[in-house]
Amino acid sequence: MEGSKSLTPQIAVRTLLLRVKDQAYYIGESAKSDPRLVEISAKIQASDDDDPILKDFVSDATSVVCNLLSRMLGETSYSNEGENITFTIKAAANTPDLQDQLVDYITNYMSTSILRNWLNTVKSDEAKRFDEKLVRLETELIQLSARRLKPERT
């Protein structure tokens, strides 16, 4: 497309899974403070054995992000090579270089989405508190995507 630029943010699946496992660990540990929740706290904490389930949630989050980027930045596709997810975005020419920021925002959104889905599977009342955070992260991603460079006079 003439007058466009290509952005290719790449997200490491391993990074996503490690973030989710870290967050789930701390949520599980905090649940141990209540003696009635000791048993469920172990279920909250995701392990490497849970990777197949978590990877399903990665796929869901990837689709949501791809649709969001398509709506806000331009035609977006993705490829999942197993180790990395690469988004290819055909953005307008006046889009600033958002590559690094997109990686951060996408990683935050996807890890929160995966964590929410994981908690919804093992302890649904814990997942509800992440709904508001996902809405906030989506809004931030939309605002980032809406940035454009000011035209210069010649």
Side-chain angles (χ1 to χ4, degrees):
M1 172 199 293
E2 188 169 324
S4 68
K5 66 168 59 170
S6 183
L7 301 171
T8 55
Q10 188 175 68
I11 310 299
V13 173
R14 178 174 164 77
T15 300
L16 290 173
L17 297 181
L18 288 174
R19 280 180 99 166
V20 169
K21 289 174 189 175
D22 283 348
Q23 291 174 329
Y25 170 80
Y26 287 111
I27 292 168
E29 285 297 305
S30 69
K32 286 182 180 178
S33 64
D34 185 341
R36 299 169 296 169
L37 299 176
V38 170
E39 187 176 321
I40 193 69
S41 67
K43 291 180 182 177
I44 290 173
Q45 298 174 356
S47 69
D48 291 346
D49 294 338
D50 300 310
D51 279 359
I53 295 168
L54 295 175
K55 286 182 180 179
D56 284 344
F57 299 145
V58 169
S59 178
D60 294 343
T62 302
S63 295
V64 170
V65 167
C66 187
N67 290 334
L68 185 60
L69 293 173
S70 286
R71 191 174 80 220
M72 296 309 301
L73 274 174
E75 183 183 333
T76 303
S77 60
Y78 69 89
S79 62
N80 185 345
E81 301 88 28
E83 297 292 318
N84 297 305
I85 300 166
T86 304
F87 294 91
T88 304
I89 307 161
K90 291 181 184 175
N94 64 343
T95 302
D97 184 13
L98 304 171
Q99 192 99 341
D100 293 337
Q101 289 175 302
L102 279 172
V103 169
D104 291 341
Y105 279 69
I106 292 169
T107 301
N108 285 338
Y109 183 87
M110 289 181 70
S111 63
T112 302
S113 176
I114 296 162
L115 179 62
R116 185 200 161 280
N117 287 333
W118 169 251
L119 292 174
N120 199 39
T121 301
V122 295
K123 192 169 186 309
S124 60
D125 57 320
E126 285 288 330
K128 293 175 185 160
R129 64 184 173 148
F130 288 94
D131 289 339
E132 188 175 304
K133 184 174 181 182
L134 277 175
V135 169
R136 181 183 57 80
L137 290 170
E138 183 175 327
T139 301
E140 289 177 6
L141 190 55
I142 289 169
Q143 289 173 342
L144 175 69
S145 300
R147 292 184 187 165
R148 296 294 180 264
L149 298 171
K150 292 181 181 180
E152 295 180 12
R153 291 187 175 170
T154 55

